[in-house]
Amino acid sequence: MKNSIILLLSLLVSFSAVTSFAQAQNNPTKKWGAEVNLLWPIFPGNIYKGQLTYETWRRNELTGDVIVGFHIRPFEFREDEGDFSNLALTFGYRQYFWKGFHIELYNAFGPGFNRNNVITGEDYNSWDFEVGLLAGYRWEFLKKEKREKLKFIPYLSMQYGFYYLAAQSNQHPIVDFEGERPFYVGTLNLGVRF
């Protein structure tokens, strides 16, 4: 029941963010963005994430972005599980409040794979749904006057928060597993707006 409520709330928030595309636009600046996460390939390691952003509305410094992307985790051996890999389509909404300060509602949906499970020796495939809440700041490298003249505007953003595996279609056995818990996440995104 708890997972169903989390799933429903996350889908409702994402739906409301996507429907904000219909709102009137009053800012002629760059609407699109592309980001890659520089941190995850190094720490926790072996995770690659990219995403596109689109500014759906702006009222002075209040701005809302819809986000669509992916993350890829190639197979790696985990002592408590066996060989693990997952892929996910990511989507969410980022709300800017003042300058670069923002919060982000995150969702990820995709297949997870466990091969040669250390407990059973079997293989497991699952469809997983993850939700998250992040807070962060975006630094734009150039002054506003220079940014307005460029075709591509570079930036760096850092975020901190929590993710939670809200639903899993086929959970695989894990040594000493006591149930899903929220886990701490940090990101370091290099991006460009265009």
Side-chain angles (χ1 to χ4, degrees), residues 2-4 13 17 22 45 47 57 62 65 80 87 94 100 106 113-114 116 121 128 130 137 148 156 164 172 192:
K2 178 179 161 188
N3 287 346
S4 298
V13 168
I47 304 174
W57 68 277
L62 288 175
D65 287 358
D80 297 339
L87 309 168
R94 187 179 293 162
Y106 169 88
F113 309 99
N114 178 228
N116 302 314
D128 304 338
E130 191 172 72
Y137 189 82
E148 291 173 352
L156 188 68
Y164 177 72
H172 59 272
V192 292

Side-chain angles (χ1 to χ4, degrees), residues 75 81 84-88 108-115 123-130 165-173 180:
F75 274 102
E81 300 176 60
F84 179 80
S85 171
N86 73 326
L87 309 168
F109 178 74
F113 309 99
N114 178 228
R115 302 284 178 258
D123 297 342
Y124 296 85
N125 297 331
S126 176
W127 285 95
D128 304 338
F129 181 66
E130 191 172 72
L165 183 59
Q168 196 171 23
S169 68
N170 185 25
Q171 186 175 13
H172 59 272
E180 294 297 338

Side-chain angles (χ1 to χ4, degrees), residues 27-184:
N27 181 30
T29 63
K30 313 283 191 263
K31 301 282 185 200
W32 289 94
E35 300 176 346
V36 292
N37 188 327
L38 300 177
L39 181 63
W40 287 5
I42 301 163
F43 181 80
N46 199 37
I47 304 174
Y48 306 93
K49 182 174 192 241
Q51 58 193 18
L52 290 173
T53 67
Y54 182 77
E55 182 181 296
T56 59
W57 68 277
R58 175 180 289 270
R59 300 287 180 271
N60 300 319
E61 291 189 27
L62 288 175
T63 306
D65 287 358
V66 171
I67 303 163
V68 176
F70 66 91
H71 87 241
I72 299 169
R73 180 185 290 230
F75 274 102
E76 63 186 4
F77 179 75
R78 295 178 173 178
E79 290 182 14
D80 297 339
E81 300 176 60
D83 297 318
F84 179 80
S85 171
N86 73 326
L87 309 168
L89 174 64
T90 62
F91 55 97
Y93 179 76
R94 187 179 293 162
Q95 176 64 57
Y96 289 91
F97 294 101
W98 178 71
K99 299 195 179 205
F101 287 103
H102 63 271
I103 61 166
E104 179 176 316
L105 301 171
Y106 169 88
N107 300 271
F109 178 74
F113 309 99
N114 178 228
R115 302 284 178 258
N116 302 314
N117 183 275
V118 295
I119 296 173
T120 66
E122 296 180 12
D123 297 342
Y124 296 85
N125 297 331
S126 176
W127 285 95
D128 304 338
F129 181 66
E130 191 172 72
V131 296
L133 178 63
L134 302 166
Y137 189 82
R138 178 177 74 190
W139 288 275
E140 301 207 353
F141 294 133
L142 305 170
K143 295 189 179 202
K144 186 176 180 180
E145 300 79 31
K146 289 186 179 184
R147 288 194 309 256
E148 291 173 352
K149 297 175 185 176
L150 294 176
K151 190 173 185 178
F152 297 97
I153 301 170
Y155 65 88
L156 188 68
S157 76
M158 294 179 70
Q159 300 171 308
Y160 303 96
F162 295 92
Y163 285 177
Y164 177 72
L165 183 59
Q168 196 171 23
S169 68
N170 185 25
Q171 186 175 13
H172 59 272
I174 301 173
V175 174
D176 297 327
F177 181 70
E178 297 178 7
E180 294 297 338
R181 295 181 182 161
F183 55 95
Y184 176 75

